Amino acid sequence: LPSPNEKNQYDSTGRILAFKVSQDKHRGPLVWLRSYGSSLDAKSPLLNLSREIEKDSDNKKHVQSVIERSTGLFRPFADELLPIERIEPGDIVVASGLRHTVTGETLIPYVKNNKTFPVPLEAIVVPPPVFAQSVEPVRANDYDALERALSILTMDDPSLRLEKVDDSLVISGLGELHLQIAQQRLDRDFKIPVQLGSPEVELRESVINSFSHD
């Protein structure tokens, strides 16, 4: 990664990297940020360079840039979050209220009518999942809450994936222990006990030798 004072080779606008997402019972999702050249007030809007969303307008779909506005900036100090009013180059801060930003995405201060944007910082490479299990709530009326909780966990942990297969929820990750930790978090943090189905392990094969046959 570049140093905080490094000049952007394409634009003078500094960039901000979202390098972690965590959850807070009272504040909701918290996005951990590091500034590479940007100064920003707590209430200033941010443009997400790494993401676009599809919106319906006049029965037509169009792609729109994601503009975020934090509800607060905090400086982490041990297990406390101290409110601050401004972020400076090189700062590591925590932002609340960012609804769309996830780990590895790049933000810049939003300037209306600005059409020149810097290149996003290199995204964090997430290994592909190799282990999958279906997940079901112990209590049948927890299904909707389980789906929301799993969506939150996948925001926290990009290596954890969620998909629907034949009306069942399937989570996949980097191993059996990885999915067991997700199961424990669902019970501990969200009060949703779940059962995991039979594991499915991704198998990859490759050709190492070839021959011809007449």
Side-chain angles (χ1 to χ4, degrees):
L1 293 174
S3 69
N5 294 321
E6 183 178 345
K7 296 291 185 181
N8 189 323
Q9 59 178 319
Y10 296 98
D11 193 276
S12 60
T13 305
R15 294 162 292 178
I16 299 170
L17 176 67
F19 66 89
K20 178 182 176 181
V21 178
S22 60
Q23 297 295 322
D24 184 272
K25 292 181 180 179
H26 304 293
R27 300 186 180 98
L30 299 177
V31 182
W32 294 63
L33 307 171
R34 185 181 180 187
S35 173
Y36 291 92
S38 279
S39 297
L40 185 74
D41 293 329
K43 303 298 182 182
S44 297
L46 291 162
L47 176 67
N48 190 324
L49 294 178
S50 307
R51 179 181 293 265
E52 292 179 330
I53 56 176
E54 198 174 72
K55 283 199 168 185
D56 291 327
S57 178
D58 299 328
N59 297 322
K60 294 182 180 179
K61 289 189 175 182
H62 66 280
V63 175
Q64 178 176 315
S65 299
V66 174
I67 300 172
E68 299 264 48
R69 190 182 295 272
S70 72
T71 56
L73 287 177
F74 306 90
R75 190 178 306 283
F77 183 78
D79 60 348
E80 297 182 44
L81 294 177
L82 308 178
I84 59 175
E85 295 298 324
R86 188 171 177 80
I87 179 174
E88 299 292 348
D91 282 353
I92 292 178
V93 301
V94 179
S96 61
L98 303 184
R99 298 182 300 164
H100 302 288
T101 302
V102 298
T103 302
E105 296 185 338
T106 302
L107 306 166
I108 61 170
Y110 172 68
V111 179
K112 191 175 182 180
N113 298 324
N114 178 33
K115 302 298 183 182
T116 304
F117 305 119
V119 174
L121 294 164
E122 186 175 351
I124 296 172
V125 178
V126 179
V130 296
F131 199 91
Q133 289 180 277
S134 62
V135 55
E136 296 180 355
V138 173
R139 302 183 294 262
N141 59 349
D142 279 344
Y143 185 88
D144 290 340
L146 172 61
E147 192 170 3
R148 290 193 297 270
L150 286 172
S151 296
I152 291 173
L153 289 186
T154 56
M155 284 185 64
D156 289 6
D157 181 1
S159 60
L160 186 69
R161 310 285 176 85
L162 170 66
E163 60 180 334
K164 276 189 174 181
V165 179
D166 297 331
D167 296 327
S168 297
L169 296 174
V170 176
I171 55 174
S172 53
L174 303 181
E176 185 176 12
L177 180 59
H178 191 192
L179 300 191
Q180 287 176 351
I181 291 172
Q183 180 185 24
Q184 293 168 4
R185 287 195 61 192
L186 288 169
D187 192 3
R188 182 186 69 239
D189 299 342
F190 299 93
K191 311 303 180 189
I192 305 175
V194 298
Q195 295 175 332
L196 297 179
S198 300
E200 296 181 5
V201 180
E202 184 172 333
L203 176 64
R204 297 182 179 181
E205 297 181 325
S206 62
V207 177
I208 57 175
N209 291 306
S210 63
F211 64 94
S212 59
H213 178 69
D214 295 330

